[in-house]
C-alpha cells in the first residue's frame, strides 16, 4: 500500500467529510479507505481526523497535514497527466461549482462544447447558490458572478454580466413607467437576497453613481425566480442579463433605465492560490475564457 494512496484517501475524506464519498472518488471500498487513513495516522503517530458515527472533522494536526499534502497530490497528478498527455488526449475528472441559473443556462452548454473536444475528461458540475469552500469541498474551480471577496483564491475573468432593471408590459400599464431611477421608491421591487444591500440599487446618473432605496414584499436569492415574477407582472426586478435576455427579446419584459446601467459584474473562474493547475483544468479555464457564448453581453478580452 503506497503512501500516496494513504495521503489521497485522507485528503478526500477531509475535503468531503465522508469516508463513503472518498471511497467513491477513489473507486475503493469505504473499509479500505478507512484502513488507509488509519495506517497514515499510525505512521505519523498523530490523529488527523475526529470520527463519530455522524461526522468526520479535522484535528489541528489534520488541518496542517491537509494544507501541506494537497499541493503535493496536485503536483503528482500533474506530473502523471503531463507524461500521459505527451502521447494521449486530456483525461481525468474536473470538479466544478457554479451558480444554479448561470450554470444551467450558460455554463452547461459551454461544458458540452468542451466535452465534445475532450471525450476522456469527466466533468462533475455541482450547482449551488451559496459560496462553496473550494479547497475544503474538493472542487477544482468555482464559477462566480459579482464581487470577488476571497483573497485566498486566484481569479481568471471569463466575462462581464450586466444587471438589468426590468418589468412586464402589464405591470407598467398598471402602475405607469417610472421616469427616473429615484421614482423606483414608489414602486414594488423584488429584492435580491444574494446582494449585500438588497434594498439599495445603484445607477449611473450624469456620470456619477447614484444609490436608490427600493422596497418590496418579495426577497429572493434566485435570479431566475425574480425574472419569472417580473414576467408575471408582480413587480420590477433587477436581474443578471442572462436570466432575462430571452424575455427582453420576446417583449415579455421591458428594460428600464438602460442608459443608467452601472458597471457590470465580473464572471470569473476561481481556484486555490497554492494549487498547481492540472493541464485539463487549465484547458477548461482557457476554453471558458474564449467561449463567446458564455457571456455574450460582455465577453472576456484576455
Amino acid at each position: 500500500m503506497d503512501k500516496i494512496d494513504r495521503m489521497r484517501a485522507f485528503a478526500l475524506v477531509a475535503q468531503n467529510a465522508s469516508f463513503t464519498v472518498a471511497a467513491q472518488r477513489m473507486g475503493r471500498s469505504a473499509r479500505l479507505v478507512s484502513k488507509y487513513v488509519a495506517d497514515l495516522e499510525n505512521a505519523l503517530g498523530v490523529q488527523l481526523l475526529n470520527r463519530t458515527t455522524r461526522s468526520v472533522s479535522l484535528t489541528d494536526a489534520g488541518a496542517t497535514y491537509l494544507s501541506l499534502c494537497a499541493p503535493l497530490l496536485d503536483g503528482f497528478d500533474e506530473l502523471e497527466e503531463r507524461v500521459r498527455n505527451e502521447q494521449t488526449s486530456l483525461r481525468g475528472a474536473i470538479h466544478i461549482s457554479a451558480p444554479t441559473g448561470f450554470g444551467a443556462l450558460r455554463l452547461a452548454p459551454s461544458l458540452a462544447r468542451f466535452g465534445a473536444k475532450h471525450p476522456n475528461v469527466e466533468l462533475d458540475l455541482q450547482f449551488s447558490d451559496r459560496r462553496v469552500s473550494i479547497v475544503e469541498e474538493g472542487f477544482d474551480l468555482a464559477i462566480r458572478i459579482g464581487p470577488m471577496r476571497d483573497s485566498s483564491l486566484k481569479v481568471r475573468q471569463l466575462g462581464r454580466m450586466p444587471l438589468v432593471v426590468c418589468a412586464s408590459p402589464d405591470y407598467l400599464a398598471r402602475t405607469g413607467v417610472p421616469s427616473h431611477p429615484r421614482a423606483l421608491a414608489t414602486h414594488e421591487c423584488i429584492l435580491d437576497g444574494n446582494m449585500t444591500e438588497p434594498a439599495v440599487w445603484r445607477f449611473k446618473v450624469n456620470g456619477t453613481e447614484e444609490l436608490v432605496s427600493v422596497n418590496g414584499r418579495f426577497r429572493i436569492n434566485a435570479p431566475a425566480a425574480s425574472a419569472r415574477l417580473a414576467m408575471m407582472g408582480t413587480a420590477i426586478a433587477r436581474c443578471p442579463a442572462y436570466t432575462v435576455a430571452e424575455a427582453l427579446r420576446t417583449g415579455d419584459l421591458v428594460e428600464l433605465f438602460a442608459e443608467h446601467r452601472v458597471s457590470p459584474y465580473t464572471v470569473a473562474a476561481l481556484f486555490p492560490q497554492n494549487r498547481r493547475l492540472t493541464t485539463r483544468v487549465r484547458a477548461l479555464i482557457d476554453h471558458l475564457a474564449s467561449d463567446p457564448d458564455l457571456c455574450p453581453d460582455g465577453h472576456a478580452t484576455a
Side-chain angles (χ1 to χ4, degrees), residues 65 107-108 115 134 164 168-169 177 214 218 268 271 296:
Y65 192 80
L107 181 61
I134 296 176
V164 176
S168 73
V177 180
V214 299
F218 289 90
F271 46 94

PDB file of all heavy atoms in Angstrom, residues 65 107-108 115 134 164 168-169 177 214 218 268 271 296:
ATOM      1  N   TYR A  65      -1.680  18.992   8.122  1.00  0.00           N
ATOM      2  CA  TYR A  65      -1.252  17.965   7.163  1.00  0.00           C
ATOM      3  C   TYR A  65      -1.971  18.138   5.824  1.00  0.00           C
ATOM      4  O   TYR A  65      -1.366  18.022   4.762  1.00  0.00           O
ATOM      5  CB  TYR A  65      -1.520  16.581   7.741  1.00  0.00           C
ATOM      6  CG  TYR A  65      -0.859  15.458   6.970  1.00  0.00           C
ATOM      7  CD1 TYR A  65       0.486  15.160   7.143  1.00  0.00           C
ATOM      8  CD2 TYR A  65      -1.578  14.710   6.042  1.00  0.00           C
ATOM      9  CE1 TYR A  65       1.098  14.148   6.423  1.00  0.00           C
ATOM     10  CE2 TYR A  65      -0.979  13.698   5.313  1.00  0.00           C
ATOM     11  CZ  TYR A  65       0.363  13.414   5.511  1.00  0.00           C
ATOM     12  OH  TYR A  65       0.964  12.407   4.789  1.00  0.00           O
ATOM     13  N   LEU A 107     -23.331  27.925 -18.545  1.00  0.00           N
ATOM     14  CA  LEU A 107     -22.135  27.121 -18.339  1.00  0.00           C
ATOM     15  C   LEU A 107     -22.282  25.710 -18.905  1.00  0.00           C
ATOM     16  O   LEU A 107     -21.359  25.200 -19.554  1.00  0.00           O
ATOM     17  CB  LEU A 107     -21.795  27.053 -16.844  1.00  0.00           C
ATOM     18  CG  LEU A 107     -20.535  26.254 -16.491  1.00  0.00           C
ATOM     19  CD1 LEU A 107     -19.303  26.874 -17.146  1.00  0.00           C
ATOM     20  CD2 LEU A 107     -20.358  26.199 -14.975  1.00  0.00           C
ATOM     21  N   ALA A 108     -23.424  25.059 -18.660  1.00  0.00           N
ATOM     22  CA  ALA A 108     -23.598  23.679 -19.120  1.00  0.00           C
ATOM     23  C   ALA A 108     -23.400  23.546 -20.636  1.00  0.00           C
ATOM     24  O   ALA A 108     -22.696  22.629 -21.083  1.00  0.00           O
ATOM     25  CB  ALA A 108     -24.965  23.151 -18.691  1.00  0.00           C
ATOM     26  N   GLY A 115     -16.509  19.243 -23.611  1.00  0.00           N
ATOM     27  CA  GLY A 115     -16.525  17.784 -23.527  1.00  0.00           C
ATOM     28  C   GLY A 115     -16.466  17.114 -24.886  1.00  0.00           C
ATOM     29  O   GLY A 115     -15.871  16.035 -25.029  1.00  0.00           O
ATOM     30  N   ILE A 134     -13.914  26.044  -1.785  1.00  0.00           N
ATOM     31  CA  ILE A 134     -13.358  25.269  -2.896  1.00  0.00           C
ATOM     32  C   ILE A 134     -12.410  24.184  -2.404  1.00  0.00           C
ATOM     33  O   ILE A 134     -12.511  23.014  -2.807  1.00  0.00           O
ATOM     34  CB  ILE A 134     -12.655  26.203  -3.886  1.00  0.00           C
ATOM     35  CG1 ILE A 134     -13.673  27.156  -4.520  1.00  0.00           C
ATOM     36  CG2 ILE A 134     -11.941  25.415  -4.977  1.00  0.00           C
ATOM     37  CD1 ILE A 134     -13.064  28.182  -5.452  1.00  0.00           C
ATOM     38  N   VAL A 164     -29.769  44.126 -15.200  1.00  0.00           N
ATOM     39  CA  VAL A 164     -30.836  44.747 -15.982  1.00  0.00           C
ATOM     40  C   VAL A 164     -32.050  44.982 -15.085  1.00  0.00           C
ATOM     41  O   VAL A 164     -32.544  44.055 -14.442  1.00  0.00           O
ATOM     42  CB  VAL A 164     -31.230  43.851 -17.170  1.00  0.00           C
ATOM     43  CG1 VAL A 164     -32.404  44.455 -17.937  1.00  0.00           C
ATOM     44  CG2 VAL A 164     -30.032  43.633 -18.094  1.00  0.00           C
ATOM     45  N   SER A 168     -42.652  43.859 -16.617  1.00  0.00           N
ATOM     46  CA  SER A 168     -43.519  43.393 -17.701  1.00  0.00           C
ATOM     47  C   SER A 168     -44.351  44.552 -18.246  1.00  0.00           C
ATOM     48  O   SER A 168     -44.621  45.532 -17.536  1.00  0.00           O
ATOM     49  CB  SER A 168     -44.447  42.291 -17.191  1.00  0.00           C
ATOM     50  OG  SER A 168     -45.453  42.843 -16.359  1.00  0.00           O
ATOM     51  N   PRO A 169     -44.789  44.461 -19.495  1.00  0.00           N
ATOM     52  CA  PRO A 169     -45.692  45.495 -20.037  1.00  0.00           C
ATOM     53  C   PRO A 169     -46.968  45.642 -19.206  1.00  0.00           C
ATOM     54  O   PRO A 169     -47.467  46.766 -19.037  1.00  0.00           O
ATOM     55  CB  PRO A 169     -45.988  44.977 -21.451  1.00  0.00           C
ATOM     56  CG  PRO A 169     -44.799  44.143 -21.806  1.00  0.00           C
ATOM     57  CD  PRO A 169     -44.384  43.484 -20.525  1.00  0.00           C
ATOM     58  N   VAL A 177     -44.852  54.025 -16.151  1.00  0.00           N
ATOM     59  CA  VAL A 177     -43.415  53.814 -16.342  1.00  0.00           C
ATOM     60  C   VAL A 177     -42.639  54.813 -15.493  1.00  0.00           C
ATOM     61  O   VAL A 177     -42.836  56.030 -15.641  1.00  0.00           O
ATOM     62  CB  VAL A 177     -43.029  53.978 -17.826  1.00  0.00           C
ATOM     63  CG1 VAL A 177     -41.526  53.767 -18.011  1.00  0.00           C
ATOM     64  CG2 VAL A 177     -43.820  53.010 -18.695  1.00  0.00           C
ATOM     65  N   VAL A 214     -35.033  51.041  -2.532  1.00  0.00           N
ATOM     66  CA  VAL A 214     -36.239  50.435  -3.089  1.00  0.00           C
ATOM     67  C   VAL A 214     -36.917  49.582  -2.014  1.00  0.00           C
ATOM     68  O   VAL A 214     -36.316  49.243  -0.989  1.00  0.00           O
ATOM     69  CB  VAL A 214     -35.920  49.569  -4.323  1.00  0.00           C
ATOM     70  CG1 VAL A 214     -35.297  50.413  -5.422  1.00  0.00           C
ATOM     71  CG2 VAL A 214     -34.986  48.419  -3.954  1.00  0.00           C
ATOM     72  N   PHE A 218     -41.204  40.907  -1.848  1.00  0.00           N
ATOM     73  CA  PHE A 218     -40.511  39.680  -2.228  1.00  0.00           C
ATOM     74  C   PHE A 218     -39.005  39.855  -2.095  1.00  0.00           C
ATOM     75  O   PHE A 218     -38.424  40.782  -2.658  1.00  0.00           O
ATOM     76  CB  PHE A 218     -40.857  39.292  -3.674  1.00  0.00           C
ATOM     77  CG  PHE A 218     -42.261  38.802  -3.860  1.00  0.00           C
ATOM     78  CD1 PHE A 218     -43.284  39.687  -4.170  1.00  0.00           C
ATOM     79  CD2 PHE A 218     -42.566  37.451  -3.717  1.00  0.00           C
ATOM     80  CE1 PHE A 218     -44.579  39.239  -4.344  1.00  0.00           C
ATOM     81  CE2 PHE A 218     -43.857  36.990  -3.883  1.00  0.00           C
ATOM     82  CZ  PHE A 218     -44.882  37.884  -4.197  1.00  0.00           C
ATOM     83  N   ALA A 268     -16.203  35.035 -13.273  1.00  0.00           N
ATOM     84  CA  ALA A 268     -14.822  34.593 -13.126  1.00  0.00           C
ATOM     85  C   ALA A 268     -14.743  33.133 -12.704  1.00  0.00           C
ATOM     86  O   ALA A 268     -15.677  32.576 -12.116  1.00  0.00           O
ATOM     87  CB  ALA A 268     -14.096  35.462 -12.100  1.00  0.00           C
ATOM     88  N   PHE A 271      -9.884  29.572  -8.272  1.00  0.00           N
ATOM     89  CA  PHE A 271      -9.200  28.330  -7.903  1.00  0.00           C
ATOM     90  C   PHE A 271      -8.148  28.646  -6.850  1.00  0.00           C
ATOM     91  O   PHE A 271      -7.733  29.806  -6.695  1.00  0.00           O
ATOM     92  CB  PHE A 271      -8.574  27.660  -9.139  1.00  0.00           C
ATOM     93  CG  PHE A 271      -7.805  28.591 -10.039  1.00  0.00           C
ATOM     94  CD1 PHE A 271      -6.438  28.740  -9.896  1.00  0.00           C
ATOM     95  CD2 PHE A 271      -8.455  29.314 -11.027  1.00  0.00           C
ATOM     96  CE1 PHE A 271      -5.724  29.589 -10.712  1.00  0.00           C
ATOM     97  CE2 PHE A 271      -7.754  30.171 -11.862  1.00  0.00           C
ATOM     98  CZ  PHE A 271      -6.386  30.308 -11.708  1.00  0.00           C
ATOM     99  N   PRO A 296     -22.181  36.495 -23.632  1.00  0.00           N
ATOM    100  CA  PRO A 296     -22.302  37.297 -24.859  1.00  0.00           C
ATOM    101  C   PRO A 296     -22.522  38.774 -24.604  1.00  0.00           C
ATOM    102  O   PRO A 296     -22.271  39.609 -25.477  1.00  0.00           O
ATOM    103  CB  PRO A 296     -23.514  36.668 -25.567  1.00  0.00           C
ATOM    104  CG  PRO A 296     -24.284  35.985 -24.496  1.00  0.00           C
ATOM    105  CD  PRO A 296     -23.261  35.506 -23.509  1.00  0.00           C
TER     106      PRO A 296
END
